[in-house]
Structure formats: structure tokens, C-alpha cells
Amino acid sequence: MPDKISTLKSYRTDINGLKGIAIIAVVLYHLFTLLNEGYYTSIHLFDSGFLGVDIFLVISGYLIVQSIQKNIDNNTFTVFDFFKRRFFRILPPLLFVIAFSFVIGYFILIPKSYLELAREVKHTLCFISNYKFASNDGYFSVNTADKVLLHTWYLSVLIQFYLIIPFVYALNKKLNLSNKINKTIYALFAFTFVLALVFQFQNNSYLLTHTRIFELFLGAATFYASKDLVKQKQWFAKNIITYLSLFILILSLFIISISQSGWRVHTSILTALCTAFILFHGIQTRFLSNKILQTLGKASYSIYLWHWPIFIFILKCSFSLNLEYICLLILMLSTLSFISYRYSEKAKISTAVTLSLFLALLVFSIYEKKAEGHNYLSKYINTSVTIMEKGNFDLPKEYAPRIAMTVNSHNIEQFGLQSETPHILLVGDSHLEHFIYYIKNFNKIPVYAFYQRGTIGYGTNFANLKATIMVGPEQRKDFFNTYISLLDKMHDGDKIVISSRWDGYEQFYNAEYNLKGNSRDFDRFTNAIIDDLSESISKYPKLKFYIINQGITLSDSQVDCLHLKLSGSILENLLNAKGCNTTVDYKNNKKLIINQKLKTLESKHPNVKIIDRNESLQVKKDLYQIKDKNGNPLFFDDNHLSAAGAMIVGEAIMKQLEKK
């Protein structure tokens, strides 16, 4: 490799064009992820848009080493100057987004979400937010609507790369290997790629630096390869390769998806390699040079920073999927991105202002964490909403709960009348536990109760799963064995009531068998549940099984609404506080499939009856109440009942059990 490298060609429209494609993909992916989560739409055309980040990673690696090599060639490179330029370019726009999020979030985020924002800010400013999110559900978790700075994971990976790469050059120089930096970069790409292959099976590997940094080194290696390798001289061949790579890259943004088992290297490698091929040849194509992609590419960093918080905050308000809201969303994103690009990216923000704002935001995030997210909405929180409320009533001695027996180290409780032997056994997960408030304090019928959160194990299919589903495989087998032992202790004619969140175990079942989570896989998952239930039902034909069907699911915005009492607040109309008295079921299709299959058990087994838990909440067809007549919320989260909800549904279930 020659001592001096020609690093800067004329303006590269292909790079800005690729950035334009990447930002469109990411923005559409995030928008429809949130709209689908909020049950406003069910559009999955842009589910591969997360690959836009892979394009950004490869481009960033390419541009960073190009810049470093230019400064080395001009004898102006120092590690300090590199850090100063990089950090003071990235920080100002980021700090303004964080400040904006703190201000808007103060008024429209409930305290627990504001506390989460404070935690996110601290990790973002320390450039480790990717590990924070990796340890907390991850990027592809279902409930992302409260993670205002989730998208900053990418910046953390990028900045961690910045912390490494200048020292690679400095070390090479110290070892008198400056003229072999290309080989060092090639070696680092190979090493980090192998590292990614080894650790890709870790939980949330999509967010981890050691599984994603290889793409930055791929970009870096591409820069040196474009100087080292003899390129095709034929104009035709170069264009064919470039256009083919561009076609495959765009196609990948529509056809590649994340499996239920999570992100893997193969998920991103095609998009990353296509990006590298386009950078390698540097052909200025008409498509990549068009004005729209060029404009979006130039402002891509600001658009990336602003789009996610704007989507989050607008959806927190009384959002409706209509032209007015879509126009408002586009206007806000365009305006704030333009201001950010013009006045914080292109205009130089002084070091003093940047550092002062950095410290102020860091201090405020620490304060809010200690204040447990205290904000404007703190005084409007509905404290009556509690989950798994057991109550602590001073019950008469004949109804005071007790431990009736211990089976496999599990304490089996007896509720209701204590002087009689129960002929009813209640078994389940948290979807049994949320009825206990009523069963314990108001029910008079003697019952046994055995429940364990996040656990399903009514047959060998789920009892033998190796995946961790809140509990591990050993606890799940223990649950199954305890369930069978309890069935052995019951007598002919006794009633067994099973209540679980049937849809709650789908992603773990899919992960176990590396399924994609499509309709066919959901069918396989539900069949496994039915087979497990049939297994024990058939084994104990003289016991009567009552199976509680699938419950309804609320949207995140309705859950937030239930946690607030905004009467008299200036935000009462903005946050749509009056809009959460009733709901549709936001997972109605899955509920129908599960409940229809549960009904087949009733038709095949004479000792089975299905109890509809939703019937007591139903106002009319496909509409359910989520507040009682006194305005008390009936749900704590999107699927668990509050104490008030347990009173209504629990009583209805027990009345069903009283029938002969």
C-alpha cells in the first residue's frame, strides 16, 4: 500500500443517496411498528426497515476511516482532535432532542415513563444506551411506546467505535506499521465478524456492540479495499455490479425479517455487503443522485434523532389515523429536523454551550431518577389502580385463608369457607392470580388455589420447553408435576379451573422451535396448548375441567389513560382522558382463534366446559367496559385486571362454578 492515499474524491452523491434510502426505511419501520403496536394499523410492508441502520453503520465506518486517513496524509491527525470533532458534531443535535423530550415528556408522560426517560438519558449521555436497552426487553420487544430514546442505541454503538478506531491508528504508528493500516483494518473486520458469529445467539444481540461493530469495520475495510484492489475498468461491468447491489439492497428492505429467535448475523449481512459494494465502486447513479434522496441523506442524522420521540409523543395524545394527524406528524418532523440540521449540525455550537447543556441534562436525569419521575402528571395519577391486589381484610375466622397443604414445596392455599374440604381447584399463572382479590376476600365457596406467574405447564409440550419464559425449564417442570399431583389428590366430580394468559407464551414457543411467528406458526403454537390440555383432561375423565378462555387486550394509550385522573387538567382533552371507558379487543383475531380451539375441547371431552371471562365486561358486540360505574379502572395493564376488575369477572366465574 502506498504511503499516501488519495482519500477524497469529488462529492459522493452515492453516499448521500444511500443515507436517504436508509432514513426512509428506518422512519417507515418505526412509524408502522408504533402504529401496529397501538392497533391503529396492521401494515407489515416495512417490517424490514430496521436494516436501514445496517446501511448507516457501513457508511459510517467508511467515512470515519476516510477522514482519519486524510488527516494522517496531511500530518494533522491527533486522537484529541478526532474526539473533539466527532463529539462536538454529534452532541449538539442529540442534546437538543433530549432537552425537547424532557420538556414535552414532563407534561404528557406518566411518572413511571418519565422515570424511564431519565434512566435512558443517563445511559445515552454515557454512550451505553445500547446495553441498557439490551438488558430491558430489547429493540424488538412488544412494548416500546414508553422508550423515548430507544433509537439512540445506534449512536452508542457508533460512539463506542469512535473510542476504538483512533487508537488503532495511533498504535499502528507507534509500532511503525502505519503503511500497513489497511491490513490491520482487514484483520479487525475478520476478527469482529467472527466475534459476531460467536455471540449472535445472546439475548438481544441486535443491540450489542460486539455483535454489530463488524459492520463499521466492514465499511472501514471497504475504504481501503477500494484503494488496494484493482477495480474493473469496464464501465459496463462496474455499473452492472452497482445497480445489482442497489436492487438487492432495496429488495432486502422489504423481504428480510427478524425471526422469533432474534437477530442473527445473516439477518443483516446481505444489506451490509450490498452497501459495501456500492461504496467500493463509487458510481454516481442517477437514482441515488435524485434531489429527494440527496436532501434526506444530508439531513439523515437530524431526521433520525427527531423522528422517534415525535412519533412517541404524538401517539400519546388523542391520535387518530386521519389526514390531519398525518400532516401534523410530517410537519413536525420536517420542521424540527430542518431546524436541527441548519442550526445545530451545520452551524457551530460553542464548546461551552454544548458542555453546559450536557451537564445540565445529566444532572436533571439523576435528579428525576431520585424523584422517581415526578412531573406534571404526578398529581393526576390514579392510585386506586393496583395489580395482583390480594387485599388485607380482617375476615371472620371461618373464612380466613390458610395453607391447606404443601405439594413439591409449593404452598397450596385454601380460600372461602375453611370448615369444609374444597371440591374446586384453581390453577394458573398471573391470569388466575388477578382474580385472587375477589376469591380471597368475597368468595364464600371453599377452593384450593395454585398459581405461578409466567408459567404454563399442563402437558408435556410446554413442560419440556427449554426456553426461559419468566421462569426456567426446571420451574416449569416443577409446575407441571405439582399440577398432576394436585389432580391425583382431587376426587371424582371435583372441579378443576384453569386460567392462563394463553397468548402470552407464543414468542417463547416460537424461539424454542425457531419459528417466524406467522399464522401457520400461531396455529402450531395453539395446537400445542390444546394437546397439553387434552393430555390431562383425558387422563382424569372423572374430574370436571373448567377452562377460562382468552381475555381481551387493551392498547398502550388506553392503559396510560386508565392510570390518570385528568379532570380539571389543561391536558384533559389532549390526552383523551374521556376516551377510555370502553374498548375493543386489540388482539381480537388471536383471541378468536384461541377461544375457538378451546371450544373444541368442550365438544371432544364431556368433562370440559369453557368459561367466557369477557362476557361480564361486554357492553355490546366487540365492545367491553374498562371502567366500572364509579369510574374505577378494571385493568392495571393491557391484559391484567385490577382489583375492581377482579370483583366483576371473579364473581361471574364463581357463579358459573356454582351451577350444577
Side-chain angles (χ1 to χ4, degrees):
M1 171 181 171
D3 292 335
K4 295 276 187 178
I5 301 175
S6 175
T7 55
L8 292 178
K9 296 182 178 182
S10 58
Y11 176 69
R12 293 281 299 268
T13 57
D14 60 324
I15 292 179
N16 258 344
L18 286 171
K19 286 182 180 180
I21 292 172
I23 197 61
I24 291 172
V26 170
V27 169
L28 288 175
Y29 170 71
H30 283 157
L31 175 61
F32 284 97
T33 293
L34 290 172
L35 289 177
N36 291 341
E37 279 186 12
Y39 307 102
Y40 297 102
T41 63
S42 183
I43 297 173
H44 297 279
L45 178 63
F46 308 105
D47 283 1
S48 303
F50 64 90
L51 292 167
V53 171
D54 297 271
I55 299 173
F56 281 130
L57 287 170
V58 177
I59 291 174
S60 295
Y62 184 95
L63 292 177
I64 286 303
V65 298
Q66 182 189 63
S67 175
I68 291 175
Q69 189 62 54
K70 176 195 173 187
N71 291 326
I72 289 174
D73 291 344
N74 295 332
N75 293 317
T76 58
F77 173 74
T78 68
V79 172
F80 177 78
D81 284 341
F82 172 83
F83 286 150
K84 183 179 179 181
R85 284 196 308 274
R86 289 291 97 200
F87 283 92
F88 286 102
R89 179 189 178 277
I90 283 179
L91 274 179
L94 174 62
L95 296 177
F96 289 129
V97 168
I98 291 173
F100 170 86
S101 300
F102 263 144
V103 172
I104 301 301
Y106 182 83
F107 292 98
I108 69 174
L109 292 179
I110 61 175
K112 70 171 185 177
S113 299
Y114 202 57
L115 174 60
E116 171 64 18
L117 174 59
R119 294 190 183 111
E120 291 173 11
V121 169
K122 185 182 70 172
H123 286 84
T124 298
L125 294 179
C126 293
F127 312 122
I128 53 173
S129 64
N130 61 318
Y131 286 100
K132 183 254 187 295
F133 293 120
S135 64
N136 182 23
D137 298 330
Y139 185 74
F140 298 100
S141 64
V142 173
N143 192 15
T144 58
D146 286 332
K147 299 173 183 177
V148 180
L149 298 178
L150 175 61
H151 64 317
T152 64
W153 74 268
Y154 158 72
L155 291 180
S156 291
V157 173
L158 186 60
I159 290 171
Q160 289 161 31
F161 176 73
Y162 289 170
L163 293 173
I164 296 170
I165 195 66
F167 292 107
V168 171
Y169 284 84
L171 182 60
N172 255 48
K173 183 178 180 181
K174 190 175 183 63
L175 297 174
N176 294 318
L177 296 173
S178 294
N179 62 337
K180 294 184 179 179
I181 185 62
N182 56 336
K183 295 179 180 177
T184 302
I185 294 296
Y186 297 151
L188 284 171
F189 165 62
F191 171 74
T192 54
F193 182 68
V194 171
L195 198 68
L197 291 173
V198 171
F199 290 101
Q200 63 180 322
F201 300 103
Q202 285 185 283
N203 288 337
N204 300 318
S205 58
Y206 181 84
L207 298 168
L208 303 177
T209 305
H210 52 283
T211 53
R212 302 309 303 273
I213 201 170
F214 81 90
E215 293 178 276
L216 286 151
F217 278 109
L218 172 60
T222 301
F223 169 74
Y224 285 109
S226 68
K227 311 303 172 186
D228 292 345
L229 301 179
V230 177
K231 300 183 188 178
Q232 292 281 348
K233 297 296 183 183
Q234 295 88 351
W235 174 90
F236 181 76
K238 290 167 65 176
N239 274 267
I240 286 293
I241 294 172
T242 297
Y243 276 106
L244 182 61
S245 298
L246 183 58
F247 173 77
I248 296 173
L249 181 147
I250 294 173
L251 186 64
S252 73
L253 297 176
F254 290 95
I255 65 171
I256 294 177
S257 61
I258 292 283
S259 69
Q260 289 287 340
S261 58
W263 177 88
R264 298 292 182 259
V265 170
H266 66 75
T267 310
S268 295
I269 194 64
L270 182 63
T271 307
L273 286 175
C274 287
T275 305
F277 278 126
I278 295 169
L279 294 175
F280 176 81
H281 286 290
I283 300 294
Q284 311 304 294
T285 68
R286 182 176 297 179
F287 176 76
L288 291 177
S289 301
N290 77 75
K291 290 184 178 180
I292 294 175
L293 289 182
Q294 290 300 302
T295 300
L296 292 173
K298 289 176 183 177
S300 59
Y301 178 52
S302 286
I303 297 171
Y304 184 86
L305 286 177
W306 284 98
H307 79 282
W308 181 257
I310 288 173
F311 292 168
I312 293 286
F313 290 136
I314 285 184
L315 290 175
K316 290 289 182 187
C317 301
S318 305
F319 180 80
S320 297
L321 193 61
N322 56 42
L323 184 60
E324 291 179 3
Y325 270 96
I326 297 300
C327 289
L328 175 63
L329 190 151
I330 294 172
L331 179 63
M332 284 188 65
L333 178 56
S334 301
T335 302
L336 290 172
S337 297
F338 171 77
I339 292 172
S340 174
Y341 174 66
R342 177 67 179 83
Y343 296 104
S344 64
E345 273 198 80
K346 291 185 71 70
K348 182 174 174 59
I349 306 295
S350 73
T351 302
V353 170
T354 302
L355 290 177
S356 297
L357 185 55
F358 178 92
L359 291 173
L361 291 171
L362 187 59
V363 169
F364 188 72
S365 69
I366 295 171
Y367 164 78
E368 273 299 330
K369 185 178 178 183
K370 290 184 177 179
E372 297 184 341
H374 180 82
N375 64 357
Y376 173 79
L377 292 181
S378 295
K379 59 185 175 182
Y380 296 103
I381 289 297
N382 189 346
T383 55
S384 67
V385 189
T386 52
I387 189 170
M388 305 310 171
E389 175 64 43
K390 304 297 194 302
N392 196 24
F393 295 91
D394 188 15
L395 298 172
K397 185 177 180 180
E398 62 267 31
Y399 294 105
R402 67 185 178 90
I403 304 300
M405 63 181 114
T406 300
V407 178
N408 295 339
S409 75
H410 291 282
N411 291 328
I412 311 303
E413 298 172 286
Q414 179 173 337
F415 299 119
L417 187 63
Q418 298 295 311
S419 59
E420 294 183 7
T421 299
H423 294 284
I424 297 175
L425 168 65
L426 309 177
V427 182
D429 57 15
S430 60
H431 274 231
L432 172 63
E433 187 180 358
H434 64 184
F435 297 130
I436 295 300
Y437 178 82
Y438 173 80
I439 302 296
K440 173 185 175 183
N441 300 298
F442 299 94
N443 161 66
K444 306 300 182 185
I445 303 171
V447 299
Y448 294 128
F450 168 56
Y451 49 88
Q452 185 169 304
R453 296 181 187 180
T455 307
I456 185 170
Y458 305 113
T460 52
N461 282 323
F462 284 88
N464 292 325
L465 281 185
K466 297 176 183 177
T468 296
I469 314 173
M470 290 184 66
V471 300
E474 291 184 6
Q475 295 97 319
R476 198 157 40 251
K477 283 186 178 180
D478 181 58
F479 178 91
F480 171 68
N481 291 332
T482 303
Y483 165 65
I484 295 300
S485 296
L486 286 170
L487 294 183
D488 287 336
K489 293 179 181 294
M490 302 303 286
H491 300 92
D492 292 354
D494 284 353
K495 299 176 179 180
I496 313 300
V497 182
I498 300 175
S499 181
S500 288
R501 184 185 178 187
W502 303 110
D503 70 337
Y505 304 94
E506 180 190 3
Q507 70 179 103
F508 304 101
Y509 182 86
N510 290 343
E512 180 88 7
Y513 297 105
N514 197 28
L515 304 177
K516 293 182 178 180
N518 54 32
S519 58
R520 182 181 297 178
D521 293 337
F522 186 71
D523 188 59
R524 175 177 169 178
F525 159 70
T526 49
N527 285 340
I529 290 176
I530 299 303
D531 290 345
D532 272 7
L533 290 169
S534 296
E535 188 178 310
S536 53
I537 290 167
S538 300
K539 187 177 179 181
Y540 298 91
K542 294 186 178 181
L543 295 177
K544 297 179 180 179
F545 288 85
Y546 291 76
I547 300 173
I548 312 297
N549 69 359
Q550 175 72 22
I552 64 171
T553 302
L554 280 60
S555 69
D556 288 336
S557 60
Q558 285 179 313
V559 174
D560 282 355
C561 181
L562 288 176
H563 282 263
L564 295 172
K565 283 186 175 181
L566 288 174
S567 179
S569 166
I570 59 174
L571 298 177
E572 184 174 1
N573 293 323
L574 179 66
L575 296 182
N576 197 23
K578 296 179 181 178
C580 58
N581 293 316
T582 57
T583 185
V584 296
D585 179 14
Y586 285 98
K587 287 189 178 179
N588 190 52
N589 289 340
K590 288 190 174 182
K591 183 193 74 176
L592 289 175
I593 292 170
I594 292 170
N595 290 346
Q596 285 171 0
K597 291 199 174 185
L598 289 174
K599 272 290 185 182
T600 63
L601 288 172
E602 195 174 50
S603 60
K604 291 180 179 178
H605 302 277
N607 61 329
V608 173
K609 180 175 177 57
I610 305 301
I611 296 179
D612 185 358
R613 71 168 88 180
N614 305 305
E615 189 176 17
S616 57
L617 300 178
Q618 192 164 5
V619 177
K620 59 181 181 179
K621 182 175 173 60
D622 298 328
L623 192 68
Y624 306 88
Q625 69 178 111
I626 53 176
K627 283 185 179 179
D628 65 16
K629 60 184 179 181
N630 298 317
N632 296 312
L634 302 182
F635 285 81
F636 175 82
D637 57 21
D638 68 343
N639 65 92
H640 289 103
L641 295 168
S642 64
M647 288 293 295
I648 295 174
V649 183
E651 182 180 18
I653 289 172
M654 292 309 297
K655 283 183 178 179
Q656 290 275 347
L657 294 175
E658 285 184 82
K659 295 178 181 179
K660 298 295 184 182

